[in-house]
Short mmCIF file of all heavy atoms in Angstrom, two decimals:
data_model
loop_
_atom_site.label_atom_id
_atom_site.label_comp_id
_atom_site.label_asym_id
_atom_site.label_seq_id
_atom_site.Cartn_x
_atom_site.Cartn_y
_atom_site.Cartn_z
N ASP A 380 0.25 4.49 45.59
CA ASP A 380 -0.83 4.79 46.48
C ASP A 380 -0.49 4.42 47.97
O ASP A 380 -1.33 4.34 48.80
CB ASP A 380 -2.08 4.05 46.09
CG ASP A 380 -2.78 4.65 44.90
OD1 ASP A 380 -2.32 5.75 44.49
OD2 ASP A 380 -3.75 4.05 44.40
N SER A 381 0.82 4.09 48.17
CA SER A 381 1.28 3.72 49.49
C SER A 381 0.54 2.55 50.07
O SER A 381 0.15 2.57 51.23
CB SER A 381 1.19 4.93 50.46
OG SER A 381 1.84 6.02 49.91
N ARG A 382 0.30 1.56 49.24
CA ARG A 382 -0.38 0.36 49.72
C ARG A 382 0.64 -0.75 49.96
O ARG A 382 0.29 -1.95 50.03
CB ARG A 382 -1.44 -0.07 48.77
CG ARG A 382 -2.57 0.88 48.62
CD ARG A 382 -3.55 0.51 47.58
NE ARG A 382 -4.62 1.48 47.49
CZ ARG A 382 -5.72 1.43 48.24
NH1 ARG A 382 -5.85 0.50 49.10
NH2 ARG A 382 -6.69 2.34 48.10
N VAL A 383 1.90 -0.40 50.08
CA VAL A 383 2.94 -1.40 50.18
C VAL A 383 3.82 -0.98 51.39
O VAL A 383 4.01 0.21 51.68
CB VAL A 383 3.83 -1.43 48.94
CG1 VAL A 383 5.01 -2.37 49.07
CG2 VAL A 383 2.97 -1.80 47.72
N GLY A 384 4.29 -1.94 52.12
CA GLY A 384 5.36 -1.71 53.13
C GLY A 384 4.78 -1.12 54.43
O GLY A 384 5.49 -0.49 55.19
N GLY A 385 3.51 -1.33 54.72
CA GLY A 385 2.91 -0.83 55.93
C GLY A 385 3.25 -1.70 57.13
O GLY A 385 4.01 -2.67 57.01
N SER A 386 2.71 -1.33 58.26
CA SER A 386 3.02 -2.14 59.45
C SER A 386 2.32 -3.47 59.31
O SER A 386 1.25 -3.56 58.78
CB SER A 386 2.55 -1.40 60.70
OG SER A 386 1.25 -0.96 60.54
N ASP A 389 -1.61 -4.69 58.76
CA ASP A 389 -2.55 -3.71 58.19
C ASP A 389 -2.75 -4.01 56.73
O ASP A 389 -1.84 -3.78 55.88
CB ASP A 389 -1.85 -2.30 58.35
CG ASP A 389 -2.70 -1.19 57.67
OD1 ASP A 389 -3.91 -1.47 57.43
OD2 ASP A 389 -2.19 -0.14 57.45
N THR A 390 -3.91 -4.55 56.41
CA THR A 390 -4.21 -5.02 55.07
C THR A 390 -4.14 -3.92 54.04
O THR A 390 -3.80 -4.08 52.89
CB THR A 390 -5.50 -5.79 54.97
OG1 THR A 390 -6.50 -4.96 55.47
CG2 THR A 390 -5.46 -7.09 55.78
N GLY A 391 -4.52 -2.70 54.51
CA GLY A 391 -4.59 -1.59 53.59
C GLY A 391 -3.21 -1.13 53.02
O GLY A 391 -3.16 -0.54 52.01
N THR A 392 -2.20 -1.44 53.77
CA THR A 392 -0.84 -1.03 53.30
C THR A 392 0.08 -2.18 53.11
O THR A 392 1.28 -2.07 53.11
CB THR A 392 -0.23 -0.06 54.37
OG1 THR A 392 -0.24 -0.71 55.61
CG2 THR A 392 -1.00 1.21 54.44
N ASN A 393 -0.50 -3.38 52.95
CA ASN A 393 0.29 -4.54 52.65
C ASN A 393 -0.31 -5.35 51.52
O ASN A 393 -0.76 -6.48 51.63
CB ASN A 393 0.39 -5.49 53.92
CG ASN A 393 1.42 -4.94 54.92
OD1 ASN A 393 2.62 -5.08 54.66
ND2 ASN A 393 0.95 -4.35 55.97
N GLU A 394 -0.27 -4.71 50.32
CA GLU A 394 -0.87 -5.39 49.21
C GLU A 394 0.22 -5.85 48.27
O GLU A 394 1.33 -5.33 48.21
CB GLU A 394 -1.74 -4.37 48.39
CG GLU A 394 -3.02 -3.96 49.06
CD GLU A 394 -3.93 -3.20 48.16
OE1 GLU A 394 -3.61 -3.11 46.92
OE2 GLU A 394 -4.91 -2.63 48.62
N ARG A 481 4.78 -7.32 49.49
CA ARG A 481 4.00 -6.49 50.40
C ARG A 481 4.86 -5.58 51.21
O ARG A 481 4.48 -4.49 51.60
CB ARG A 481 3.14 -7.40 51.27
CG ARG A 481 1.99 -8.10 50.61
CD ARG A 481 1.15 -8.87 51.58
NE ARG A 481 0.40 -9.94 50.91
CZ ARG A 481 0.54 -11.22 51.20
NH1 ARG A 481 1.42 -11.58 52.14
NH2 ARG A 481 -0.14 -12.15 50.54
N SER A 482 6.09 -6.08 51.54
CA SER A 482 6.94 -5.30 52.34
C SER A 482 7.85 -4.37 51.55
O SER A 482 8.72 -3.69 52.10
CB SER A 482 7.75 -6.17 53.27
OG SER A 482 8.57 -7.05 52.53
#
Side-chain angles (χ1 to χ4, degrees):
Chain A
D380 286 353
S381 306
R382 293 174 180 274
V383 176
S386 49
D389 177 17
T390 55
T392 55
N393 280 286
E394 288 191 11
R481 290 185 202 116
S482 59

